[in-house]
Amino acid sequence: MKRRSLLAGAVPGALAVSAPGTALADDDGGFRVREVGGFHVGGEAVTLSGVPTRDAYVAEGQTPFRVDPNGDFQSGQIYVNYVRLARPRSPLPVLMWHGGGLTGACFETTPDRRQGWQQRFLSAGRDVYLTDALGAGRASWGRYPEASKAEPLFRTKKELWELFRIGPPGSYATDPRKRRPYADTQFPVAAFDEFVKQVVPRFRTYDRSTQAGYDALVARVGPSTVLTHSAGGPFGFAATIAAPGRVRAHVAIEPSGAPDPATVDFSRVRRVPHLIVWGDHLDADPSWGQLYDSTRRFHDALRAAGGHSTWIDLRDHGHRGNSHMIMMDRDSHRVAGMIDSWLKEHVR
Amino acid sequence: MKRRSLLAGAVPGALAVSAPGTALADDDGGFRVREVGGFHVGGEAVTLSGVPTRDAYVAEGQTPFRVDPNGDFQSGQIYVNYVRLARPRSPLPVLMWHGGGLTGACFETTPDRRQGWQQRFLSAGRDVYLTDALGAGRASWGRYPEASKAEPLFRTKKELWELFRIGPPGSYATDPRKRRPYADTQFPVAAFDEFVKQVVPRFRTYDRSTQAGYDALVARVGPSTVLTHSAGGPFGFAATIAAPGRVRAHVAIEPSGAPDPATVDFSRVRRVPHLIVWGDHLDADPSWGQLYDSTRRFHDALRAAGGHSTWIDLRDHGHRGNSHMIMMDRDSHRVAGMIDSWLKEHVR
């Protein structure tokens, strides 16, 4: 992985994203809402039959009982929560797609109780749709192990602390007072255990149904901006390639890689401007370098095909110490302002 | 179980709840919001150590891998989603607590895309807090089986169809065209499979942490109205008994029973008005009769102690065919109007 400056991949005007005064207001007077609600999209009917009954796992002293796994279920759907403004200033809602082991809650209030990106983009006049996918949160998950197949994976606090680059390898401790985060970290470290409360188990078997769900969501909502984080990124790239007339922009926050350009027909997707944002301390784990480089190849190919793609390494713009959870970092409102300004300049 | 009319348990003025024109407006002009967001409350740090590693369940053809269950986790928290109005007409937010196998999504848009109770109570000028609890949805759940202990339970469509009283026993079929609901059902039957998408697995091991979480939520939010459904009911009764100064009213929709009056000191809780609402076809399964009777004993004891409790059997008020999912039934807006009118009359 080599770091590139913003200018290396920038489209004209991209520097405006870090101009002073473009951050969304810290304190706003609220906004008029037409409707809040939620729905599910995608998924499929699953019928299990002929599966032997089995003894349930019960704790010592509990009454044993039999589990009959057979019957009809729904599985693989995604959950969508929306807030639609009475008078949006943009015709394009922002669909925010979370990463692995998380839910749409990551875009709500930050763990240290500051306004989240959901509130900030609403305040900026954009409808916001949050989702739960990948068998997480309100998306629900299929009967395990019969329908979900591969088992749920639980990340420890240590893994989250290191993988999300809050502190270097070996700096996590059970006792919060003994943890040693990066000296310049932007993550609200005192709220780390509060953040962990929103972490959910991951399944590795929902990728196909999740892509189908997101494609169906884009079809249902119509023209929109897709903002993805981490493992949500590949779904965003694929949804954009599948429906470049509906996805009018893709903002990818530290995506878990991008499609191999050799597999992509850029003739249609080049119409869709992309913004790709990276935080700091990416050298901590070699996996980040691979995702960074994979995404960079897509970015370069998109630009070579005549498309717009803006690449932002936040540390080149006065933002040091950003973690993987940029939407929760202490400078999250300034990054939201960058994104909002970029959207104003490059979309429509 | 014997049916009682509204008048048998009504407080003066209770008949107003079914007066014409009290339903919330079908089409509103929206509402001004100060803030939307979410947070987690309650839960505890869990450290697993010395647990043997094990082979993960993987589907045929997948690469086997080892699971190390040891490490630090958070478990047992509840998730809260809130919409706070810029100018609420009531000082008391409504905290809506879902039932077993469901999440706060049950109070959002109905499965057949009508406005849910979240939107309706916001339109009526009340802040609304939705929760996910019991290891469901965005509450997350602990590493299974080491931390969650008892295993997740998955309801089949047939069980949901019968238990939630959409059709009589034996009337469910995999093919939607072959299902035979009650002739007078209020449930939007064509959207049944859509409803099932929001059903989540249940754990039987989160009751204690859920109660602690709800008590902590009430302490954090302050004076409020608690509206519970089904398995959320017992948490609502207990939270009211624990903090009758904070819970200013409890609206229980088909609660899964109530505390034994012999265990309750009514001297303080009698200040808190209660509204208890039941749907139709309660004879379908004997478990409903037990819950109905248990709740009735609490209602009678509360009134005998000088408290206010209103008991509504919807079929006595021109509402035939209500299912267990009253907030989704086709007449859900009229029931919301009843509740809103009751709150206006009996609270503050």
Side-chain angles (χ1 to χ4, degrees), chain B residues 66 127 267 303 307 330 339:
Chain B
R66 299 287 289 178
D127 292 351
S267 66
R303 294 191 67 232
R330 285 179 289 105
I339 296 168

Side-chain angles (χ1 to χ4, degrees), chain A residues 32-236:
Chain A
R32 190 159 185 86
V33 164
R34 178 188 308 277
E35 190 177 24
V36 300
F39 58 88
H40 287 74
V41 64
E44 57 191 359
V46 175
T47 298
L48 296 174
S49 64
V51 184
T53 60
R54 57 188 163 82
D55 284 326
Y57 174 102
V58 292
E60 198 176 347
Q62 289 193 331
T63 309
F65 63 100
R66 298 287 288 178
V67 167
D68 179 356
N70 298 294
D72 296 339
F73 305 89
Q74 291 289 137
S75 178
Q77 58 275 2
I78 66 173
Y79 164 77
V80 186
N81 167 279
Y82 61 89
V83 183
R84 293 175 54 216
L85 298 166
R87 290 176 296 276
R89 288 197 284 274
S90 166
L92 301 178
V94 181
L95 317 184
M96 299 187 182
W97 300 356
H98 65 83
L102 295 166
T103 70
C106 72
F107 296 109
E108 295 180 341
T109 317
T110 67
D112 60 338
R113 303 193 186 188
R114 288 171 293 116
Q115 292 184 348
W117 283 7
Q118 178 196 37
Q119 168 89 12
R120 289 186 175 276
F121 282 86
L122 285 165
S123 298
R126 303 179 186 277
D127 292 352
V128 174
Y129 288 59
L130 303 183
T131 58
D132 294 356
L134 292 163
R138 293 174 173 177
S140 193
W141 45 291
R143 183 185 279 274
Y144 165 76
E146 292 84 0
S148 292
K149 302 289 194 290
E151 73 171 271
L153 302 175
F154 296 78
R155 281 182 171 143
T156 63
K157 289 188 191 180
K158 178 177 187 293
E159 184 181 353
L160 292 161
W161 178 273
E162 295 178 355
L163 185 63
F164 291 180
R165 310 192 316 274
I166 294 164
S171 68
Y172 172 79
T174 299
D175 183 347
R177 294 165 299 183
K178 294 183 180 166
R179 297 171 190 165
R180 290 173 290 103
Y182 290 112
D184 63 358
T185 187
Q186 291 283 352
F187 192 85
V189 171
F192 176 73
D193 287 351
E194 203 61 33
F195 159 61
V196 174
K197 291 180 182 177
Q198 69 173 255
V199 175
V200 293
R202 294 178 303 133
F203 294 87
R204 307 198 301 181
T205 41
Y206 286 106
D207 278 14
R208 190 184 53 80
S209 60
T210 295
Q211 188 67 58
Y214 278 136
D215 290 346
L217 173 61
V218 166
R220 175 162 165 177
V221 175
S224 28
T225 291
V226 172
L227 186 155
T228 62
H229 177 237
S230 195
F235 299 115

Side-chain angles (χ1 to χ4, degrees), chain A residues 224-297:
Chain A
S224 28
T225 291
V226 172
L227 186 155
T228 62
H229 177 237
S230 195
F235 299 115
F237 287 115
T240 305
I241 290 165
R246 294 196 184 108
V247 180
R248 298 294 174 84
H250 179 199
V251 178
I253 310 297
E254 296 210 346
S256 298
D260 179 349
T263 67
V264 178
D265 172 8
F266 284 99
S267 66
R268 295 171 66 233
V269 75
R270 71 181 176 190
R271 289 181 292 170
V272 185
H274 283 62
L275 170 62
I276 299 159
V277 180
W278 295 91
D280 206 346
H281 301 297
L282 289 162
D283 301 330
D285 187 303
S287 63
W288 290 113
Q290 291 167 21
L291 303 178
Y292 185 96
D293 290 345
S294 156
T295 308
R296 186 71 191 194
R297 284 191 290 276

Side-chain angles (χ1 to χ4, degrees), chain A residues 72 74 79 157 172 174, chain B residues 72 74 79 108 157 172 174:
Chain A
D72 296 339
Q74 291 289 137
Y79 164 77
K157 289 188 191 180
Y172 172 79
T174 299
Chain B
D72 296 339
Q74 293 288 138
Y79 164 78
E108 296 181 338
K157 291 188 190 180
Y172 172 79
T174 300

Side-chain angles (χ1 to χ4, degrees), chain A residues 321-342:
Chain A
N322 277 107
S323 75
H324 184 51
M325 302 307 297
I326 292 172
M327 74 291 282
M328 298 176 185
D329 282 344
R330 285 180 289 106
D331 59 354
S332 61
H333 61 295
R334 289 185 56 212
V335 181
M338 281 186 182
I339 296 167
D340 186 60
S341 297
W342 182 90

